Amino acid sequence: MRIPWRPAAYLLSGGLTGAAAFTVMLLLAASGTALAPVLVGLPLLAALALSGVPYAAVERRRLRLLDPEPVADPHRDPDRTGITAWARTRFAERATWQELGYAVLAATVLWPLELLAVGGAFAVPADLLATPLLLAADGEQANPLKLHAVTGYPAALACAVAGLLLLPALLYALGPVAGARAALARWLLTAGGTAELAARVTELTTSRARLAAAFDAERRRIERDLHDGAQQRLVALSLTLGLARLDAPDGSPIADRLAKAQAEAGQVLESLRELINGIHPQVLTDRGLPDALADAADRSPIPVRTRLDLPGRLPESAESAAYFVVCEALANAAKHSGASGVTVTGGHDGSRLTVEIRDDGRGGADAARGTGLTGLADRVAVVDGTLTLASPAGGPTLLRVEIPCTLRSLPLRSE
Amino acid sequence: MHPPLPPPPLRIVLAEDSVLLREGLVGLLARFGHETVAAVGDADALEAAVAEHGPDIVVTDVRMPPGHSDEGLRAALRMRENRPGLPVLVLSQYVQRSYAAELLDSGDGTAVGYLLKDRVGHVEDFLDAVIRVAAGGTVIDPEVVRHLLARRRDPLQRLTAREREVLALMAEGHSNAELSRRLSVTDAAVGKHIGNILMKLDLPPAQETHRRVLAVLTYLRR
């Protein structure tokens, strides 16, 4: 016969921790109230208010005795280190007060019941079993369970047999009792948690979108600054050098130097152009995705065919996510796939943008290897999109991006 | 061959939002005897200046206030719609096929130019482009042409290396005389190359430079 240790352990530990919680909370309440006038009491009362937090943490751990399904910690990480930041965060959380309520209930009502259940399950059969021994020790009578006097050995043996039969029955009865107690704990500790969780997910999602938008805006600002500043100055420099070359006699050392300087300025301009284009391509802002992708295709070392059929302009975040994914995919195809050609197709069905990048290379692209694809997936995830990759060994490789978005009310300027 | 006569001075409206560059361009044009009748910094002022002065040519940047997107190009296209044949040379910071395409599609593709801004440093090339556009020619930046050539690989494969060279220069809008000067071959040889190219690419034969340029560009853009 297997003894149901876990329910017994659960109820016993529950009784003990409940008793401990009762003691601690009583001490905090008493000393805090007494010392409140001299201010020392205030932190004690604050600690009392927060006492549900550690208690609930222990409770969540204890639940694992019966059920391996973990209960999520409902608390947020404080945004700053230090005890005051922690306390401030905890005070602002609904879960803290919920846990305090649960702790008060456990420390006042539940723990005596738990100890009673465990104690009863062991003590009652033990008392009955001991009846013959007690009778022998006493010689006169024994009082099993203090209910009535037993004076004869047949009756005492009957009691012992009853005890023997009752022991497993009561022990197994602990199972449902413990189960009910655990269900109560789980319910009280997680009630309303899903709503809070949903709210936090929403909050996180919007803050992530805000970050991404801020990041895009920052890229555009940098692009603008470089364009209006460095780029124009370099063109002006090149122009000045060009004029100076007109004044230098042909074939003179100075003419050669000026020519060199101008070539150098031209190189810098070219690098700067590529840099700026990598930060934020102007064509994407001006003309939208199809033109920007055609432009990216132009710059690719392997032949790229693009065919995008979009009814209008999309939100900037969707456009730039799709654009950078295609650019990265084209770079990957050129570097690793050995493909002889890439096809980029795409469209919008009214609620989502879909872009597919297909190459006829050797395949075997793996999202787990290299950070490129992970970076792409992150970029797409920020705009709530998905990225799927099919790349069997031997090819072809197909990368598919889907981004939910509605049209901006801007017509596409077609060529 | 006697040296070509200096071209008559042109009356120019210039639009460029960077003051530094605007001053530089005005100085450059003045040095070669051309008069900048108005130098402005945004698209609205550009349209007003063109309405007021009726210049021989408009030289404009693509990107200008207020929106810093492609206002300069938009203004140029609008003006060409209202005044067919108004010569416009657009300077762009980036090689943008679609910009070039829109310009070529405006009017009949004559008297337009699309140059990378860096070209202004190559003073003679830049001035040459201004003069050719003012005279009704079509000028496309070599960088754009290189892009177009790189995109198409099919029938271009049938061209010899020399023919590809000729095709690139032709697409930039150069005349036969200019081609023969740059490649150091005779006019007759240039004519033969061009005939071969047009035949190989299945293009209609054309004597006029700009018709030929448009045919080539249309082919490359397909």
Side-chain angles (χ1 to χ4, degrees), chain A residues 50-289:
Chain A
L50 292 173
S51 59
V53 176
Y55 180 71
V58 173
E59 282 295 285
R60 280 192 291 271
R61 184 145 307 192
R62 281 201 321 110
L63 277 170
R64 309 282 286 273
L65 279 170
L66 296 184
D67 185 354
E69 176 77 23
V71 182
D73 184 342
H75 293 292
R76 270 200 305 270
D77 282 336
D79 40 15
R80 276 198 298 276
T81 52
I83 184 81
T84 40
W86 180 84
R88 196 173 300 130
T89 308
R90 290 290 169 268
F91 273 119
E93 287 175 318
R94 216 188 67 141
T96 305
W97 306 107
Q98 202 175 331
E99 286 169 349
L100 179 65
Y102 173 74
V104 170
L105 177 73
T108 51
V109 178
L110 295 179
W111 71 267
L113 296 177
E114 289 172 286
L115 286 184
L116 195 65
V118 182
F122 284 99
V124 170
D127 198 28
L128 287 172
L129 272 171
T131 309
L133 296 176
L134 290 169
L135 186 60
D138 190 86
E140 288 280 322
Q141 63 170 30
N143 301 335
L145 305 181
K146 305 279 180 285
L147 291 178
H148 66 287
V150 172
T151 51
Y153 275 98
L157 281 174
C159 278
V161 171
L164 203 61
L165 292 174
L166 206 55
L167 180 66
L170 285 177
L171 279 184
Y172 278 96
L174 285 180
V177 173
R181 168 71 180 82
L184 178 72
R186 196 174 277 273
W187 180 66
L188 286 175
L189 288 175
T190 58
T194 46
E196 193 157 328
L197 204 61
R200 273 178 64 195
V201 168
T202 312
E203 181 191 329
L204 282 173
T205 311
T206 49
S207 80
R208 186 178 68 172
R210 264 204 310 276
L211 264 178
F215 186 62
D216 275 340
E218 190 63 7
R219 286 175 96 103
R220 273 198 304 279
R221 194 187 61 75
I222 293 170
E223 189 271 338
R224 166 86 54 89
D225 286 354
L226 283 173
H227 173 272
D228 291 350
Q231 218 173 6
Q232 307 285 24
R233 283 179 176 276
L234 272 170
V235 173
L237 169 69
S238 177
L239 190 140
T240 309
L241 287 168
L243 285 171
R245 283 177 70 187
L246 293 178
D247 297 333
D250 265 355
S252 63
I254 184 87
D256 288 351
R257 287 215 186 95
L258 286 171
K260 265 209 185 66
Q262 195 178 27
E264 202 61 53
Q267 292 283 324
V268 176
L269 262 170
E270 201 157 317
S271 320
L272 187 62
R273 226 200 323 271
E274 278 181 22
L275 173 76
I276 292 179
N277 207 45
I279 293 170
H280 187 88
Q282 179 64 24
V283 62
L284 186 61
T285 314
D286 289 352
R287 320 292 301 251
L289 203 51

Side-chain angles (χ1 to χ4, degrees), chain B residues 56-75:
Chain B
D56 299 323
I57 181 170
V58 173
V59 177
T60 178
D61 184 10
V62 170
R63 194 168 159 175
M64 274 194 288
H68 289 274
S69 92
D70 53 1
E71 284 85 350
L73 180 74
R74 300 279 128 233

Side-chain angles (χ1 to χ4, degrees), chain A residues 220 223-224 227-228 231-233 235-239 241-247 262 266 269-270 273 276-277 280 282-283 285-287 291 294-295 297-304 413-415, chain B residues 16-18 20-21 24-25 27-28 31-32 61-63 66-70 73-74 92-99 101-102 105 116-118 120-124 143 146-147 150-151 153 221:
Chain A
R220 273 198 304 279
E223 189 271 338
R224 166 86 54 89
H227 173 272
D228 291 350
Q231 218 173 6
Q232 307 285 24
R233 283 179 176 276
V235 173
L237 169 69
S238 177
L239 190 140
L241 287 168
L243 285 171
R245 283 177 70 187
L246 293 178
D247 297 333
Q262 195 178 27
L269 262 170
E270 201 157 317
R273 226 200 323 271
I276 292 179
N277 207 45
H280 187 88
Q282 179 64 24
V283 62
T285 314
D286 289 352
R287 320 292 301 251
D291 278 1
D295 196 60
D298 276 357
R299 287 196 307 273
S300 166
I302 45 178
V304 179
R413 297 190 189 120
S414 58
E415 290 192 13
Chain B
E16 161 63 60
D17 59 327
S18 150
L20 191 69
L21 209 49
L25 285 168
L28 164 77
R31 181 181 165 140
F32 287 86
D61 184 10
V62 170
R63 194 168 159 175
H68 289 274
S69 92
D70 53 1
L73 180 74
R74 300 279 128 233
S92 171
Q93 202 68 268
Y94 306 100
V95 177
Q96 218 7 278
R97 263 202 296 128
S98 44
Y99 293 170
E102 276 186 309
D105 293 342
L116 206 50
K117 221 179 208 176
D118 310 8
V120 303
H122 302 269
V123 178
E124 278 144 332
E143 194 64 29
R146 239 192 29 213
H147 267 260
R151 275 176 67 225
R153 291 162 175 80
R221 277 167 50 196

